Amino acid sequence: MNHRIRIAALLAAALSPLASAHAQDAPLPKTIKIVVPFSPGGSNDLFARALGQKLASRWGVPVVVDNRPGAGGTIGAQAVANAEPDGGTLLLNSVSFTTNAAVQPRLPYDPIKSFAPVALLNRGPMLLIAGNATGYRSTADVLAAIRSPKKDVNYGSAGPGSIGQLAGELLNATTGGQAVHVPYKGIANATADMIGGNLQVMVTTAASVAGPLKAGSLRPIAVTSAERSRFMPDLPPVSETVKGYTVESWWGIFAPAKTPRPLVDRLNAEIRAIADTPEMRELFARESTEPGNLSADRFAAYVQAEVVKWRTLARERNITVD
């Protein structure tokens, strides 16, 4: 091990108990509001309510969930960015937090400077799926089709600027593909068109197409994680065929910028402990995801890397949403 790295590691080990002690001493807010920037009933809302119940039980303070839908999650995020940085207002957002930053040039907040990333709640792969009528049975089949000038291949998504569109354009960009984006108002409409033979491929979450997959109406081709998923062990990663191709679906907790670091660390420790409970693991498994288990610093680095990745792609592929 390099001498400087060894000293840094020893120093970090020596300071970590002190940092942990300071985090545990951080004063708690009298109430906690978890803002969900989407309507009730979706995965963000379910995760927020389950997390809120457990936080209230562990800390003995009231925790409420405040749904503020609109503008693809921007309205709720802005409310948290403008809130007092006292730990009393948190944001539960998903991968859309970083895709919005990529495709919306006039956000009313800075996705990096306006927030203190607290904890990665859970994450997991998406699926590359194909319609049965295509005959595609592997990533190689999909690549051959989207690269061929003789074939008109469409891919669907839940709408312009969605993670489904960015995942599809990432596949085009990394393979020289020419698949044409077809935006829908929600995955249900795209799924219906795929079953009907009017749409060829799509990248989406396993949960959003669970029924058709179980019925055999759609064909799963591959997962978008770097490695195989324990939830879909028979599916190879796209990255086995397309080097470096990875896309994750994830959910995380954010606080307003300037939230005291000891409080951020205390929240991070509590949320990681809650996320690892059997009840939360079971809830996450419905989305084919696992607990995130990252420190606040590592989560901040993860979010920044996601913002850079999707902004770069959006700029190169000219993807914008006003």
Side-chain angles (χ1 to χ4, degrees), residues 57-83:
S57 176
R58 290 170 73 99
W59 281 4
V61 299
V63 180
V64 297
V65 173
D66 181 10
N67 295 91
R68 296 199 184 186
T74 299
I75 291 174
Q78 183 181 11
V80 176
N82 294 337

Side-chain angles (χ1 to χ4, degrees), residues 78-239:
Q78 183 181 11
V80 176
N82 294 337
E84 288 296 318
D86 57 4
T89 304
L90 304 174
L91 172 71
L92 193 154
N93 213 334
S94 60
V95 63
S96 62
F97 181 80
T98 52
T99 57
N100 280 345
V103 302
Q104 295 188 31
R106 291 183 290 274
L107 285 175
Y109 54 80
D110 187 297
I112 303 301
K113 296 178 181 179
S114 300
F115 298 90
V118 174
L120 178 62
L121 194 60
N122 58 311
R123 61 178 168 179
M126 299 179 76
L127 280 180
L128 173 62
I129 61 173
N132 290 340
T134 65
Y136 306 155
R137 296 186 176 277
S138 68
T139 301
D141 289 343
V142 173
L143 296 192
I146 67 174
R147 286 169 170 165
S148 173
K150 298 180 180 179
K151 293 187 178 182
D152 295 323
V153 179
N154 295 333
Y155 76 91
S157 80
S162 65
I163 184 60
Q165 180 188 10
L166 293 177
E169 284 307 311
L170 183 62
L171 191 62
N172 274 336
T174 52
T175 65
Q178 304 174 63
V180 177
H181 178 226
V182 181
Y184 290 82
K185 291 184 177 180
I187 284 297
N189 294 328
T191 300
D193 255 11
M194 182 171 280
I195 293 172
N198 299 315
L199 186 68
Q200 285 75 53
V201 294
M202 184 161 58
V203 178
T204 188
T205 62
S208 67
V209 289
L213 288 178
K214 187 175 182 180
S217 304
L218 299 175
R219 180 176 295 119
I221 300 293
V223 292
T224 61
S225 48
E227 300 175 349
R228 290 182 185 246
S229 165
R230 75 177 180 88
F231 300 104
M232 299 158 280
D234 295 334
L235 293 180
V238 173
S239 59

